[in-house]
Amino acid sequence: MSQDHKSHSMEKKWVFSFVVTSLACVFLLATSFNMGLMSSLRPPINGTFSGFPTNDSKVADQPPREEDKLPRFAYLVSGSKGDLESLWRTLRALYHPRNQYIIHLDLESPVEERLELASRINNDSMYSKIGNVYMITKANLVTYTGPTMVSNTLHACAILLKRNQDWDWFINLSASDYPLVTQDDLLYTFSTLDRNLNFISHTSNLGWKNEKRAMPLMIDPGLYMLNKSNIFWVKPGRSLPAAFKLFAGSAWMVLSRSFVEYIIWGWDNLPRTLLMYFTNFVSSPESYFHTVICNVPEFSKTAVNHDLHFITWHRPPRQHPRLLSLRDMRPMIASGAAFGRKFRRNDRALDKIDRELLNRTNEADFTPGGWCGGKPECSVVEDVAKITPGPGAERLKGLVDRLVAEAKSGKNQCE
């Protein structure tokens, strides 16, 4: 073989090796870039207070369907021993086929009550057909002042995300809460809002709560016992945290799905860290979610400082608010709030709310809305995208517009 032929052969091998090596480097570089990109991905947070939300998944040349302009809500309605009838009535008043509902009677409730609730849900023709009402059959033991209430709320959030992610806001209510507006009113009001907004009453001025709730150490027996009992105290106490700032407020909230996903997935670990801290915090439902949202910059700007409830307190305040009655009807309506708290079972105020605010003629009926059809009324779902807002929408929209404007200016937000 000639020297020129050998040189040419070696040159071809060198070029081939160079090309293979170059391709391998490009592949490794691209893979490294993609892996780095994937590891940094988070559920996107759209621009806060940007008006109508957009849906990038739609084909550009197809006009959006009417129903896609309306939001959907995911509810947790929870109760305890003796709350079966109140919970059922609240569920009927809240029902809309667009929404998702998680129902929970805690472990203190007699087995008979929980079986009866499950039977009613399974045998209801509307719930069975639409499939949007789900009962947590493996009941949790919930201590009101302990972290088990937070755990129960997170449990419901996780179930909702797993079952159906086609919802925009999560709302937690108790059996003693009751709607003051129709679901059509609520859907109408929220249809123009940025869907990253979170309605959560909060403040960093904890005052006496620092000493009475944050600094003592307590154990919630609901974490390891089958029977409900009060929390108990352990010593020594602890100092206030330095790694994050504490916030507190109402235990009742309207949370965006993006924030709920963050709490459940906890991609930067803060929700888990705070969950461990609040295991020893008295009345943690009134501080956990508030502390999380206000310590994460991308979410703190989405916090609207109101829980959309009408609540009146004793003077001085006690652990539970004052029970609402007929005498509270005028300020309740004037408040523009979406929900009232707390009501006695079958209080006459509920009958008045049914008649005058919800247009319900019977507590067993659904609240009428644009979706209703058939005879009797609301026995058939005609169009889940059709809404007929009433006077409640005007009251609620006035409240919400004012609150959102304040939050947009940064006033009274995570302070």
Side-chain angles (χ1 to χ4, degrees), residues 284-297:
S284 52
E286 298 176 3
S287 191
Y288 170 70
F289 298 93
H290 319 67
T291 301
V292 173
I293 199 168
C294 285
N295 279 273
V296 182

Side-chain angles (χ1 to χ4, degrees), residues 260-272:
V260 170
E261 288 174 343
Y262 170 72
I263 286 178
I264 297 300
W265 294 340
W267 50 76
D268 67 358
N269 210 39
L270 180 64
R272 296 187 188 94

Side-chain angles (χ1 to χ4, degrees), residues 210 214 238-246 277:
N210 279 327
R238 60 182 175 182
S239 59
L240 294 175
F244 49 86
K245 188 176 182 179
L246 287 175
Y277 172 83

Side-chain angles (χ1 to χ4, degrees), residues 75-94 102-106 109 113 117 120 142 144 149 152 171-179 251-252 309 320-321 323-324 339-347 350 353-354 360 363:
Y75 283 94
L76 165 63
V77 187
S78 55
S80 189
K81 181 180 180 180
D83 286 338
L84 170 62
E85 298 301 336
S86 295
L87 189 152
W88 185 252
R89 181 170 182 168
T90 298
L91 174 62
R92 304 297 279 187
L94 287 170
I102 298 289
I103 310 302
H104 180 254
L105 276 177
D106 74 13
S109 303
E113 284 190 355
L117 179 59
R120 292 186 190 184
V142 177
Y144 182 78
M149 187 173 174
N152 187 62
I171 303 175
N172 66 324
L173 300 173
S174 79
S176 58
D177 293 349
Y178 210 68
W252 313 102
H309 273 66
H320 298 284
L323 290 169
L324 299 175
F339 309 99
R341 171 172 179 79
K342 301 174 56 172
F343 294 95
R344 292 186 185 89
R345 177 186 168 188
N346 290 334
D347 190 274
L350 298 179
I353 291 170
D354 279 344
R360 297 176 75 215
E363 67 178 67

Side-chain angles (χ1 to χ4, degrees), residues 88-97 101 120-121 123-130 132-133 178-179 182-183 354 358-369 371-373 376-381:
W88 185 252
R89 181 170 182 168
T90 298
L91 174 62
R92 304 297 279 187
L94 287 170
Y95 186 75
H96 193 292
Y101 299 86
R120 292 186 190 184
I121 293 173
N123 293 325
D124 186 276
S125 58
M126 182 65 68
Y127 298 160
S128 299
K129 181 178 180 179
I130 304 301
N132 62 340
V133 178
Y178 210 68
T182 69
Q183 289 302 290
D354 279 344
L358 305 182
N359 299 316
R360 297 176 75 215
T361 57
N362 189 306
E363 67 178 67
D365 296 337
F366 295 121
T367 299
W371 64 272
C372 288
E377 189 179 24
C378 298
S379 59
V380 174
V381 178

Side-chain angles (χ1 to χ4, degrees), residues 209-310:
K209 293 182 180 180
N210 279 327
E211 182 181 351
K212 298 297 184 181
R213 295 188 175 181
M215 298 177 72
L217 286 179
M218 63 84 182
I219 302 294
D220 182 351
L223 293 171
Y224 60 90
M225 294 181 66
L226 290 175
N227 298 316
K228 182 178 287 189
S229 61
N230 292 329
I231 60 175
F232 62 88
W233 310 96
V234 295
K235 292 184 177 181
R238 60 182 175 182
S239 59
L240 294 175
F244 49 86
K245 188 176 182 179
L246 287 175
F247 288 80
S250 171
W252 313 102
M253 305 157 290
V254 180
L255 303 178
S256 68
R257 182 164 58 86
S258 56
F259 181 59
V260 170
E261 288 174 343
Y262 170 72
I263 286 178
I264 297 300
W265 294 340
W267 50 76
D268 67 358
N269 210 39
L270 180 64
R272 296 187 188 94
T273 300
L274 291 180
L275 188 60
M276 289 187 285
Y277 172 83
F278 278 99
T279 300
N280 298 112
F281 191 100
V282 184
S283 295
S284 52
E286 298 176 3
S287 191
Y288 170 70
F289 298 93
H290 319 67
T291 301
V292 173
I293 199 168
C294 285
N295 279 273
V296 182
E298 64 190 285
F299 286 111
S300 63
K301 297 175 183 178
T302 69
V304 180
N305 203 344
H306 202 285
D307 60 7
L308 300 187
H309 273 66
F310 177 82

Side-chain angles (χ1 to χ4, degrees), residues 21 26 41 61 65 100 108-109 133 159 218 258 288 299 368 373:
T21 303
V26 170
L41 281 178
D61 59 354
R65 294 177 299 166
Q100 298 293 318
E108 188 184 28
S109 303
V133 178
I159 291 173
M218 63 84 182
S258 56
Y288 170 70
F299 286 111

